[in-house]
Amino acid sequence: MGKVLALDIGGTKIAAAVVTESGMLVGRQQIATPHGGAAQLAIALETLITPYRHLVDFIAVASTGIIRGGGLTALNPVNLGGLADFPLQDCIQSIADLPCVLLNDGQAAAWAEYQALSDNYDNMMFVTVSTGVGGGIVLDKKLLVGHHGLAGHIGHTLADPHGLLCGCGRRGCVESVASGTAIGAETLGWKQPLSAAKVFELAQLGNVQAENIINRSATAIAQMLADMKMALDLEIVILGGSVGLAAGYLERVIGAQKVLPEIYRVPVQAAHHQQDSGLLGAALWAKNTLCH
Ligand SMILES: [Zn+2]
């Protein structure tokens, strides 16, 4: 099948690497995601893709947002610096005239994590808790993409009907309660507002306020997992993202599950691939798509 250039377009960075036939990442590069709209994103993609375009046979892209009909639409435009609609496939093919396959980043990561599971599962879900909350679902061993590219956007299920307005326009989404952005926003009234990473540092030192903020996030995730288990009969959940993999977070999610009746609990474990799951998943998916 040849070599693939994988791209991962996120809210804070765009990563690129060549993925070899054996699934190794070679020549990884990353740049900051520009927050100045479509023209700047096109320039950033050209800068990143040009050095690789004669080395690869096709391009696989994992991107934040909704991937539909070759375009990228941000469900929460704040996460992409105000970018609402972008002709991603046309843009990439104008830079490198190669076969190109697009996938949502949560879906791509779910596909990579599913392949990495040591046991045989039919139904799994990947959850990333980071700047936002995203995910991907594998049902009956197949990645769920959806006719509108929406499947797995679990950050925009309901956590609190009276909660804050989410960037997507709905009130009280899981993302608006549990994300790193939401964790940081809880400290806006403090003398010195903190990032999510700093809130975790404080919690490690035993600060009760910081612990409460993180527990609120972990509880919202545990409740969402309970809902998803009842909807999909999930066998396992994989947790990733900078918040999801932060010290003590997984344990807090498991702790919040223990308060629920047994049937609502689902085994949760940490992501295997960490920051490379989007790149690998996109490459695996593109191979699947282009070979069949
Ligand atoms: Zn939302």
Side-chain angles (χ1 to χ4, degrees):
M1 186 64 219
K3 282 184 184 164
V4 52
L5 170 63
L7 299 174
D8 186 357
I9 304 173
T12 49
K13 52 125 184 88
I14 307 175
V18 174
V19 183
T20 66
E21 298 253 19
S22 59
M24 294 259 298
L25 292 184
V26 182
R28 196 183 198 282
Q29 299 271 345
Q30 72 178 51
I31 57 175
T33 306
H35 286 165
Q40 278 199 22
L41 181 58
I43 292 168
L45 288 171
E46 183 162 17
T47 309
L48 207 50
I49 293 169
T50 300
Y52 298 97
R53 70 180 163 192
H54 299 297
L55 306 174
V56 296
D57 304 293
F58 59 100
I59 297 177
V61 186
S63 175
T64 183
I66 301 163
I67 300 297
R68 178 168 51 201
L72 159 63
T73 304
L75 186 55
N76 181 352
V78 178
N79 289 353
L80 264 182
L83 191 73
D85 248 313
F86 186 75
L88 187 56
Q89 182 127 15
D90 287 350
C91 175
I92 288 170
Q93 288 188 316
S94 73
I95 299 164
D97 191 17
L98 294 169
C100 174
V101 176
L102 312 180
L103 192 63
N104 165 268
D105 57 355
Q107 294 170 351
W111 195 232
E113 291 295 337
Y114 181 68
Q115 317 291 331
L117 288 173
S118 49
D119 290 326
N120 201 11
Y121 294 102
D122 288 345
N123 303 323
M124 71 83 86
M125 184 167 77
F126 169 74
V127 182
T128 172
V129 186
S130 182
T131 311
V133 176
I137 295 162
V138 174
L139 266 194
D140 292 333
K141 302 182 193 292
K142 294 195 185 80
L143 178 67
L144 213 57
V145 176
H147 282 289
H148 306 97
L150 271 180
H153 277 85
I154 47 179
H156 300 280
T157 55
L158 189 64
D160 177 3
H162 308 294
L164 295 172
L165 203 58
C166 179
C168 70
R170 188 192 194 194
R171 189 169 292 285
C173 288
V174 170
E175 177 161 301
S176 70
V177 175
S179 67
T181 311
I183 289 172
E186 284 287 311
T187 71
L188 285 177
W190 294 14
K191 215 186 289 169
Q192 192 150 30
L194 301 176
S195 65
K198 290 281 177 203
V199 175
F200 273 92
E201 277 177 28
L202 267 190
Q204 288 283 88
L205 298 171
N207 180 292
V208 175
Q209 272 180 300
E211 281 185 25
N212 287 342
I213 291 172
I214 295 169
N215 280 335
R216 181 168 179 265
S217 162
T219 301
I221 295 297
Q223 292 285 2
M224 181 270 287
L225 298 188
D227 289 348
M228 297 308 294
K229 185 188 177 193
M230 297 319 275
L232 303 172
D233 201 353
L234 295 173
E235 298 164 81
I236 189 157
V237 169
I238 303 298
L239 184 63
S242 56
V243 171
L245 297 174
Y249 192 82
L250 173 63
E251 291 73 14
R252 286 170 203 268
V253 172
I254 292 168
Q257 284 187 314
K258 289 195 177 132
V259 179
L260 299 169
E262 207 275 329
I263 194 150
Y264 287 95
R265 302 176 210 157
V266 55
V268 189
Q269 65 188 49
H272 175 77
H273 289 299
Q274 310 226 344
Q275 83 269 27
D276 292 330
S277 58
L279 291 170
L280 280 169
L284 288 166
W285 182 248
K287 285 186 183 184
N288 257 12
T289 309
L290 295 171
C291 291
H292 293 105

